[in-house]
């Protein structure tokens, strides 16, 4: 790992490599996503709706401007991937719900992304793939730090 000048790891270099990996996987899967009628942003927004069904929350969680979320939601609705449902008890609010077509598009998009990432992971040895998965998950907050 390169030195960032302060004796520690080069945080910007690590982040740049992670960004390049993500971009390469998205670029490699883009033709399949486009064939489904999805941009990468629309795919990830459709996926996030399952956990965050309210547009304002989606905007915050995805670090997107609210008008961009509105635009993407309208696209996904037009393609039949999302529907709006009124929120019980608050007529001013609605929740987004994936349709069956949306769930199928997600499944096929996930396959395309998995294939693209799998090609990249093929550069690693078997044990390295599992270790990489665990480390990224832990760094992303999906697990406890190891005991010292």
């Amino acid at each position: 790992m390169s030195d960032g000048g302060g004796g520690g790891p080069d945080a910007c270099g690590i982040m740049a490599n992670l960004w390049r990996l993500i971009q390469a996987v998205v670029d490699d899967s883009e033709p399949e996503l486009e064939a489904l009628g999805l941009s990468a942003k629309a795919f990830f927004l459709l996926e996030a709706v399952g956990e965050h069904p309210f547009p304002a929350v989606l905007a915050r969680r995805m670090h997107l401007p609210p008008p961009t979320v509105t635009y993407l939601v309208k696209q996904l609705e037009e393609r039949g991937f999302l529907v709006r449902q009124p929120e019980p008890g608050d007529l001013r609010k609605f929740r987004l719900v994936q349709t069956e077509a949306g769930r199928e598009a997600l499944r096929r998009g996930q396959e395309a992304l998995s294939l693209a990432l799998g090609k990249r992971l093929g550069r690693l040895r078997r044990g390295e793939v599992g270790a990489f998965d665990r480390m990224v998950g832990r760094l992303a907050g999906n697990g406890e730090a190891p005991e010292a």
Side-chain angles (χ1 to χ4, degrees):
M1 193 169 348
S2 35
D3 186 330
D10 178 6
C12 287
I14 293 169
M15 293 294 294
N17 281 333
L18 287 170
W19 183 255
R20 282 191 292 272
L21 173 61
I22 292 166
Q23 287 303 123
V25 170
V26 169
D27 288 349
D28 290 350
S29 58
E30 194 169 31
E32 289 83 2
L33 292 176
E34 287 180 355
L36 295 169
L38 295 168
S39 66
K41 279 183 188 172
F43 171 82
F44 287 110
L45 185 133
L46 180 60
E47 191 273 330
V49 162
E51 193 172 331
H52 308 289
F54 301 106
V57 176
L58 281 171
R60 283 192 306 275
R61 297 294 295 184
M62 295 187 69
H63 304 280
L64 291 172
T68 300
V69 170
T70 299
Y71 174 76
L72 292 170
V73 165
K74 285 181 181 179
Q75 279 187 337
L76 292 167
E77 285 179 306
E78 288 170 4
R79 289 178 175 88
F81 296 152
L82 281 181
V83 293
R84 297 175 196 230
Q85 292 184 345
E87 183 63 10
D90 188 347
L91 298 178
R92 299 166 297 160
K93 203 172 181 184
F94 63 89
R95 72 175 42 239
L96 300 169
V97 178
Q98 299 163 348
T99 63
E100 184 58 40
R103 287 187 293 276
E104 176 63 16
L106 270 178
R107 186 190 63 73
R108 291 176 58 196
Q110 288 165 345
E111 286 176 0
L113 286 163
S114 292
L115 182 63
L117 179 60
K119 288 179 183 177
R120 300 281 169 163
L121 292 175
R123 300 173 183 175
L124 302 177
R125 291 187 296 276
R126 184 178 306 235
E128 290 176 324
V129 173
F132 177 73
D133 181 38
R134 287 187 301 279
M135 288 186 283
V136 170
R138 196 165 56 232
L139 292 171
N142 298 335
E144 297 297 319
E147 292 183 21

